[in-house]
Amino acid sequence: MSDHEQQLQVRQGRKKGGLITMPFIIANEAFEKVSSYGLLPNMILYLMQEYGMGLAGGTHVLFLWSAATNFMPVVGAFIADSYLGRFLAISLGSIISLLGMILIWLTAMIPKLRAPPCAGCKPASQAQLGVLYTSYALMSVGAGGIRSCSPGFGADQLDKRDDDSSNKRLLESYFSWYYAAASAAVLVSLTGIVYIQDHLGWKIGFAVPAALMFVSASLFLIASPLYVKYDVSTNLFSSFAHVIVASCTKWKVPFPSQSTGDKYYHHDKGSTHLVPTNKLRFLNKACIIRSHDEEVASDGSAVNPWRTCTVDQVEQLKSLIRIIPMWSTSIMMSVNSSQSTFQLVQAEAMDKHITRSFEIPAGSFNTFLVITMIVWLPIYDRGIIPVASKIYGKPVRLGVKLRMGIGLFFCGLSMVVAGVVEHVRRGRAIETMLLNNNTSEPVITMSAMWLIPQYVLQGVGEAFNVVGQLEFYYSEFPTSMASLAAALYWLGMAVANLLASGILSVVDDVTSKNGRTSWVTSDVNAARLDSYYWVLAALGFANVAYFVVCSFFYGPCSREVVKNEESKIEQDMSFEGRVVRRD
C-alpha cells in the first residue's frame, strides 16, 4: 500500500488516533528517559564500588554505552520503516528496554552477579561483566526502538497530510509539548532517581526505573486499539540500493520530454508522484521506462527492481540526501551543549550558596538548561504565538527553518556569555591570589548564579532548534520514512560527541606546545576556559552562516510548495469564475 493510499484510508474514516493517544505515546518515551537517564549519573560509582573498575575504565564503558544508545535509533528507524512498522518497533523496544532494566536491577539484588565486596579481592569476572554488559545492550536496543519511532508515531495520530494552517499549527504544538515532556523526564531522572539511589541504595534505586518502565510499556500496549498504524510500504535498505544501482545502470539513457514524461516514468498505482522532481536529477534515470513490455509486469510492478524503480523510491532517496546538509548544521549545537564537565569545574570554583545554609551542588547547574526548555516551550506555544496572532489579526507561525536558525544563534550566543563570565571569574581569582600571595588555597570570588544566563540561552536555543528539527524531518520525509526522521536527531548527538572530543584534543594539543599550560588543564585558574568557550562560540556562529547557505540551497519546504501551489490554483479558479460571471 502506497503512502497516498494509507493516508486516504485514514482520512476517509478517522476513528482512530487524535489527542486521546498522546498521553500513552509521550509518557512511554518520557518514562524510558526517566529510567535510562536516571541510571547514568551514578553508574560510574556503581561500577567502581560493585565491579572494582577504575575511574578511567568505568568512564570508557559508560562512553561506549552512551554512544551505542545514541546510535541505535538509526538502526531502529531503518528496521521500523523497512520491516516492523512504528507501533511494533516501539512495543518491542519497550519490552527489551524493560528486560535490560530488570537485569541490571538483578545485579544489585544478587551478590554473585557482582565482584566480591572485600578490599583487595579480584575484580568482576567475565561472566559477571557479561551480565552487566548484556543489560546495557538491551537498554540501548530498546531505546533505539522507542526514540526513533515515538515522535513520528505520535505525529501520525494527528497529521492528516492534506495540509492546512491548522494542521501545521497542531504539529508544531505537538512537537513542542513532546520535547517539553522529554525534557521534564530528564529533569526528573537527574533529580528524583539520583536522589533515590543516593539515599536508598542501588536495590531500590534500580527497581524504581524498572517499575516505571513496566507501567509505561503496559499502558502503551493497552492503548493499542486507539492508534493509527501505517503498514510498512517499502524496504528502505533494498529500495535505496535499487535506486543507486538502477540510476548508474541507466546513466546513458536520455530523459523523456516533459510533455510525455509521465508515460515513461514508472510509478505505483495511486501514487501522488507521477514524475520525479528536478532536484538531484541524475537519480531520475532509475525510474525511466525504456520498454513497457520488457520492464513492467502485467500487475504494474517492475520486472527487475535493480533496473527499474518507482518514482516514490527515487523521491525517498532524494529526501534523505537533500536533508543531510541541513541535519549537519545541528551537530555544532550538540557540541556546545556537551561542555557540562567544564561548566561543573567552573561551578566548583564559585560560590554556589543561595542562602547561608543552602547551596546548589555543582553537578545540578545543568538542570537550569532543562528547566529553561520546560518553561520556554509552553510560554512560546501558549503565550507568545497566540498573543502575536491577536496583534496581527491572523495566525502567526515561525517557519520551521527559521526556528532552527534562531536556535543555532542562541546556542552560539550562550558560548559568548560563558566565555565572558569565565573571563571575569578567572581575572578576579588571579587578582585575589596575587593580593593574598596565596596560590595553594581555592579562591572563590564570584557567585555561581552568574552561570545561569548561559544555561538559559542554551536552553532557549535547544528548544527552538530541536523542536524545529523534529518537525522539519517529519514534514520533509514521506510517511514511510518518519522513524528515520526522528533517528537523525540522535545520530547528530552521537556525531557531536565524537566531534567535541576531537575539538578538545586539538585545543589541548595546540595550546600545550612548547611547555605552555593547556587551555583545558585541570587547574581552572591556570586554564583558559574563556578562550576555549570563545573558540566554540566562533565555530557556532560560523555554523549559523553555514546553516543560512544550506537553507538557501535547500529551498522551500515541501509543505510550503504545496501551499503555494494550492494558493495559485485557488487564484486561478477565482479568476475563471469572475470571467464566467462577466460573460
Side-chain angles (χ1 to χ4, degrees):
M1 184 182 295
S2 67
D3 287 351
H4 175 72
E5 291 173 329
Q6 292 177 359
Q7 295 151 16
L8 181 62
Q9 176 181 330
V10 173
R11 288 199 295 269
Q12 287 175 342
R14 196 174 181 84
K15 297 181 181 180
K16 295 185 178 183
L19 294 175
I20 192 174
T21 61
M22 292 301 102
F24 302 100
I25 297 172
I26 294 178
N28 180 257
E29 179 162 354
F31 277 123
E32 187 275 329
K33 278 187 167 59
V34 168
S35 303
S36 59
Y37 278 80
L39 292 174
L40 191 57
N42 282 335
M43 187 56 67
I44 184 63
L45 299 178
Y46 186 66
L47 296 180
M48 294 172 67
Q49 295 171 4
E50 305 296 338
Y51 285 84
M53 293 188 185
L55 177 60
T59 301
H60 182 67
V61 169
L62 297 182
F63 172 77
L64 294 178
W65 180 28
S66 298
T69 302
N70 286 333
F71 180 75
M72 283 306 299
V74 179
V75 179
F78 269 103
I79 294 176
D81 287 342
S82 301
Y83 301 103
L84 301 180
R86 285 185 278 281
F87 170 75
L88 186 57
I90 296 174
S91 301
L92 291 177
S94 301
I95 295 172
I96 293 172
S97 185
L98 174 61
L99 292 176
M101 293 176 187
I102 291 175
L103 189 58
I104 199 168
W105 171 65
L106 290 176
T107 65
M109 294 294 297
I110 303 175
K112 291 185 178 180
L113 295 179
R114 307 189 304 273
C118 59
C121 292
K122 294 182 179 180
S125 65
Q126 293 298 318
Q128 292 168 335
L129 292 175
V131 174
L132 177 70
Y133 296 157
T134 300
S135 69
Y136 289 165
L138 289 172
M139 286 187 282
S140 294
V141 172
I146 297 172
R147 297 178 187 181
S148 64
C149 299
S150 286
F153 187 66
D156 288 344
Q157 314 307 310
L158 303 175
D159 187 18
K160 303 178 183 65
R161 294 264 174 170
D162 49 6
D163 211 19
D164 54 28
S165 59
S166 62
N167 190 50
K168 287 182 178 180
R169 182 76 187 95
L170 182 61
L171 276 180
E172 179 182 344
S173 180
Y174 159 71
F175 282 114
S176 295
W177 285 98
Y178 178 91
Y179 193 65
S183 300
V186 174
L187 180 63
V188 170
S189 66
L190 295 177
T191 54
I193 303 299
V194 172
Y195 179 88
I196 292 173
Q197 293 171 356
D198 288 343
H199 292 80
L200 300 179
W202 302 117
K203 294 179 180 179
I204 298 179
F206 289 167
V208 170
L212 291 175
M213 195 64 226
F214 174 78
V215 173
S216 172
S218 300
L219 292 177
F220 180 81
L221 294 174
I222 289 173
S224 174
L226 302 176
Y227 302 135
V228 172
K229 304 169 187 174
Y230 289 129
D231 296 329
V232 176
S233 58
T234 190
N235 186 319
L236 293 181
F237 289 103
S238 60
S239 177
F240 291 162
H242 290 164
V243 173
I244 294 172
V245 172
S247 61
C248 293
T249 303
K250 297 181 177 180
W251 69 279
K252 289 185 178 181
V253 176
F255 289 105
S257 62
Q258 294 183 351
S259 59
T260 60
D262 60 329
K263 297 179 181 179
Y264 293 96
Y265 286 114
H266 182 45
H267 52 77
D268 289 322
K269 183 180 179 181
S271 173
T272 56
H273 295 101
L274 299 181
V275 295
T277 60
N278 287 326
K279 295 180 178 179
L280 300 174
R281 195 163 179 256
F282 65 93
L283 292 175
N284 292 353
K285 294 191 176 184
C287 55
I288 292 177
I289 301 175
R290 291 175 293 182
S291 171
H292 280 269
D293 295 336
E294 295 179 2
E295 297 185 44
V296 181
S298 57
D299 60 354
S301 62
V303 174
N304 185 352
W306 290 98
R307 297 186 64 84
T308 306
C309 302
T310 64
V311 177
D312 284 337
Q313 288 178 281
V314 172
E315 292 304 312
Q316 285 175 347
L317 180 57
K318 283 184 180 181
S319 65
L320 177 60
I321 295 174
R322 289 184 63 219
I323 275 177
I324 288 176
M326 292 290 290
W327 162 79
S328 67
T329 63
S330 298
I331 294 175
M332 194 62 212
M333 180 196 68
S334 298
V335 170
N336 290 344
S337 64
S338 65
Q339 306 301 319
S340 57
T341 301
F342 298 109
Q343 291 161 345
L344 183 144
V345 173
Q346 275 183 282
E348 285 287 2
M350 303 171 79
D351 182 8
K352 301 179 290 296
H353 284 86
I354 296 179
T355 66
R356 291 184 177 180
S357 58
F358 178 77
E359 68 175 5
I360 302 177
S364 297
F365 274 85
N366 198 47
T367 58
F368 286 108
L369 185 153
V370 182
I371 292 172
T372 299
M373 291 187 289
I374 296 172
V375 173
W376 171 255
L377 288 171
I379 291 176
Y380 170 81
D381 187 64
R382 297 302 180 186
I384 295 176
I385 293 299
V387 169
S389 299
K390 288 183 179 179
I391 293 175
Y392 285 94
K394 62 179 181 180
V396 173
R397 178 180 179 271
L398 296 180
V400 61
K401 291 195 294 183
L402 178 59
R403 279 181 277 139
M404 292 172 66
I406 291 174
L408 296 179
F409 176 80
F410 270 96
C411 289
L413 189 59
S414 70
M415 289 294 100
V416 174
V417 173
V420 171
V421 171
E422 172 59 17
H423 183 75
V424 175
R425 185 211 64 79
R426 181 175 180 272
R428 290 184 179 182
I430 292 176
E431 182 180 357
T432 303
M433 290 165 59
L434 292 175
L435 290 175
N436 296 336
N437 195 24
N438 185 348
T439 59
S440 60
E441 295 297 327
V443 178
I444 298 177
T445 60
M446 191 174 179
S447 172
M449 298 304 111
W450 284 102
L451 297 176
I452 295 177
Q454 68 194 55
Y455 285 111
V456 171
L457 290 171
Q458 184 73 24
V460 172
E462 289 197 28
F464 269 113
N465 186 271
V466 175
V467 173
Q469 274 191 75
L470 294 175
E471 184 180 347
F472 175 73
Y473 298 150
Y474 182 80
S475 300
E476 294 303 289
F477 278 144
T479 303
S480 58
M481 297 174 63
S483 300
L484 180 60
L488 285 178
Y489 167 69
W490 296 104
L491 178 61
M493 291 186 64
V495 175
N497 289 336
L498 300 177
L499 181 59
S501 177
I503 293 173
L504 179 62
S505 297
V506 170
V507 170
D508 185 35
D509 292 340
V510 171
T511 59
S512 61
K513 286 183 177 179
N514 301 323
R516 293 175 298 179
T517 302
S518 171
W519 283 2
V520 290
T521 185
S522 57
D523 185 347
V524 67
N525 291 328
R528 292 305 306 265
L529 293 182
D530 50 351
S531 299
Y532 174 66
Y533 287 144
W534 287 331
V535 168
L536 294 178
L539 293 175
F541 287 123
N543 185 61
V544 173
Y546 171 61
F547 170 83
V548 173
V549 174
C550 292
S551 179
F552 174 79
F553 283 103
Y554 188 88
C557 297
S558 300
R559 296 195 176 191
E560 293 175 358
V561 174
V562 172
K563 185 177 180 181
N564 292 336
E565 291 177 351
E566 291 177 348
S567 299
K568 290 180 181 178
I569 293 173
E570 291 176 357
Q571 291 174 3
D572 293 341
M573 293 176 64
S574 176
F575 176 76
E576 292 175 0
R578 289 196 298 271
V579 172
V580 170
R581 287 194 297 273
R582 190 178 298 116
D583 293 340

